[in-house]
Amino acid sequence: ACVAVAVAVHFLAPMAVNDYWVNVLRRVGVFIVAAVSLNIVNGFTGQFSMGHAGFMALGGYIAAGVTYYGSLYFHGSVNDAAFAIQGVTLMLVGLFLGATVAAGAGYLVGLPSLRLRGDYLAIVTLGFGEIVRSVLNTWLSVTKGPHGLLGFPPPTVWWPSVGDGFN
């Protein structure tokens, strides 16, 4: 049911509201995913983890980096017209790699801290989040620092005839 609502919002929102509110709805969807994952850790297991932002940033930068640098490698530009259709493969590979790297980082952080409870687990995960933030802000050649990766084309749906970003 949640996937059906997300797909419906994705396709119907551009017809009902302007681009600003579509962007707000997309961000709300991302934050809903973050809240649900935080509820799983804090709500169901009773563990207090503060590293969710670090895991999200790691997975997000991996996914964006695969898409961004892959499009530069294969298409020469992130604004190439052919990228709108062929870039779906890069996006899916990026999403898979981002999720895999974030899950692997969660496993590596969680493995040595399995026996920690309460404040100690919170300190370990907070430290991981701060390390990720610091690395992403200072690794200018890859992440562009606090400015992030710029120059992406606007988000589109996968089909050119339905998309809101195709000209």
Side-chain angles (χ1 to χ4, degrees):
C2 293
V3 173
V5 169
V7 170
V9 167
H10 180 74
F11 286 109
L12 299 177
M15 292 183 265
V17 295
N18 62 19
D19 290 342
Y20 172 78
W21 288 107
V22 170
N23 190 21
V24 168
L25 288 172
R26 287 179 179 150
R27 290 176 190 258
V28 165
V30 169
F31 293 133
I32 286 172
V33 170
V36 167
S37 70
L38 196 57
N39 183 41
I40 290 171
V41 174
N42 289 357
F44 293 127
T45 65
Q47 299 291 327
F48 188 62
S49 171
M50 298 176 69
H52 277 72
F55 297 117
M56 281 183 62
L58 191 62
Y61 266 97
I62 294 292
V66 167
T67 306
Y68 183 79
Y69 293 113
S71 67
L72 290 178
Y73 180 78
F74 290 116
H75 303 287
S77 169
V78 292
N79 292 318
D80 184 21
F83 174 71
I85 298 168
Q86 298 168 357
V88 172
T89 304
L90 278 174
M91 182 198 67
L92 292 175
V93 168
L95 287 175
F96 177 76
L97 284 177
T100 303
V101 168
Y107 180 76
L108 290 176
V109 169
L111 192 61
S113 58
L114 279 175
R115 299 181 194 271
L116 300 177
R117 298 282 183 238
D119 295 341
Y120 299 108
L121 180 65
I123 291 169
V124 168
T125 56
L126 177 66
F128 173 77
E130 283 299 308
I131 290 169
V132 168
R133 183 192 62 80
S134 178
V135 167
L136 292 177
N137 278 336
T138 56
W139 199 4
L140 298 176
S141 63
V142 175
T143 65
K144 310 291 191 269
H147 298 294
L149 299 174
L150 303 173
F152 281 100
T156 62
V157 293
W158 296 356
W159 300 279
S161 61
V162 182
D164 57 343
F166 293 97
N167 295 325

